[in-house]
Amino acid sequence: MPTVTRRTQLFLEWALFFVALPVGIAVVLPPAMMFPALFTLTGVGLVLLYLTKGFRWGSLWQGMGRISWPLIGGVALGTFVISYVVLALWHPERLFQLLGEGAPRTATGWPIIWIIALFYPLVSALPQELVFRPLFFRRYGALFPRWGLWVNAAVFSLAHLMYWSWVVAAMTFVGGLLFAWSYERRGNFPEAVLAHSVAGVVLFAVGMGTYFYSGNVVRPF
């Protein structure tokens, strides 16, 4: 366990990185600047991960041969059903509209889903998983010995505050809990990345870009 001084330092570092900065990005920055800020934050997170004592990059490959394909299929199906129900209830006109009405005209047709499927895992899912799973658990996990999975899911949801949507908050909390369980309990980072990637692509394919596309963000103030 960390010493008291080291524990305090780590907690303040955790609070700044996983709480204060995401809230600041959501509240202060305009939507157009949110993603550059998040990419910068991810870069800082990777540096912190590199500096984390005992962490080995090679450990990220563990579990590659143990991916649960029924789990991945369940993530795809569950994401599809939840997304379809949410849109059918509140925005039926946007079902299968990918990025929603705020997207450019060239980004509203089905061909764009192939671009999303190709780049989302590398540009979004992988960086997020590196920061929210290995960095969180290997550097700060000892701060939350009993509630680590739940705290991880909570800060993962908080990182999506910039969308200002309870739907996004709820879905990312559930997703974060699943991804954290896959990484921390099953010791399977590749599975967490794949599950996150599949969930993200299905979300956009069904039309949840209405909620998850920065061009559609409307702040409540």
Side-chain angles (χ1 to χ4, degrees):
M1 295 290 290
T3 63
V4 174
T5 302
R6 178 59 175 164
R7 187 182 183 87
T8 302
Q9 175 188 335
L10 284 174
F11 181 80
L12 291 175
E13 184 180 290
W14 170 85
L16 174 63
F17 188 84
F18 284 102
V19 180
L21 289 179
V23 171
I25 289 173
V27 172
V28 176
L29 293 183
M33 291 299 297
M34 288 179 181
F35 275 100
L38 287 175
F39 283 130
T40 301
L41 202 61
T42 299
V44 173
L46 293 179
V47 172
L48 290 173
L49 185 58
Y50 172 77
L51 297 174
T52 299
K53 185 177 180 180
F55 173 74
R56 296 179 298 104
W57 293 101
S59 66
L60 298 177
W61 294 100
Q62 295 175 4
M64 181 67 76
R66 296 185 290 104
I67 293 175
S68 172
W69 295 105
L71 173 66
I72 300 302
V75 169
L77 179 60
T79 303
F80 178 88
V81 170
I82 293 172
S83 299
Y84 188 93
V85 169
V86 168
L87 288 171
L89 288 175
W90 287 291
H91 296 288
E93 76 285 357
R94 299 183 189 177
L95 275 166
F96 306 110
Q97 293 301 308
L98 296 181
L99 302 184
E101 66 178 12
R105 288 185 177 275
T106 54
T108 57
W110 263 88
I112 195 67
I113 192 60
W114 302 113
I115 298 176
I116 293 173
L118 179 63
F119 287 102
Y120 181 84
L122 297 175
V123 176
S124 185
L126 178 59
Q128 287 185 59
E129 287 305 305
L130 283 169
V131 168
F132 283 95
R133 258 48 83 176
L135 176 62
F136 179 94
F137 286 106
R138 302 287 73 80
R139 189 172 182 86
Y140 309 107
L143 298 173
F144 312 100
R146 297 184 60 184
W147 302 99
L149 293 185
W150 297 94
V151 175
N152 182 264
V155 295
F156 183 66
S157 177
L158 182 66
H160 294 78
L161 175 64
M162 65 179 190
Y163 294 107
W164 295 103
S165 165
W166 69 267
V167 171
V168 173
M171 293 187 72
T172 52
F173 179 84
V174 174
L177 196 59
L178 174 63
F179 308 149
W181 174 80
S182 194
Y183 171 73
E184 184 66 2
R185 292 292 186 266
R186 287 176 48 78
N188 203 321
F189 180 72
E191 183 178 271
V193 174
L194 184 57
H196 189 159
S197 300
V198 168
V201 172
V202 172
L203 279 173
F204 284 109
V206 178
M208 289 295 284
T210 294
Y211 294 99
F212 284 85
Y213 174 55
S214 61
N216 296 330
V217 172
V218 177
R219 285 197 177 111
F221 52 86

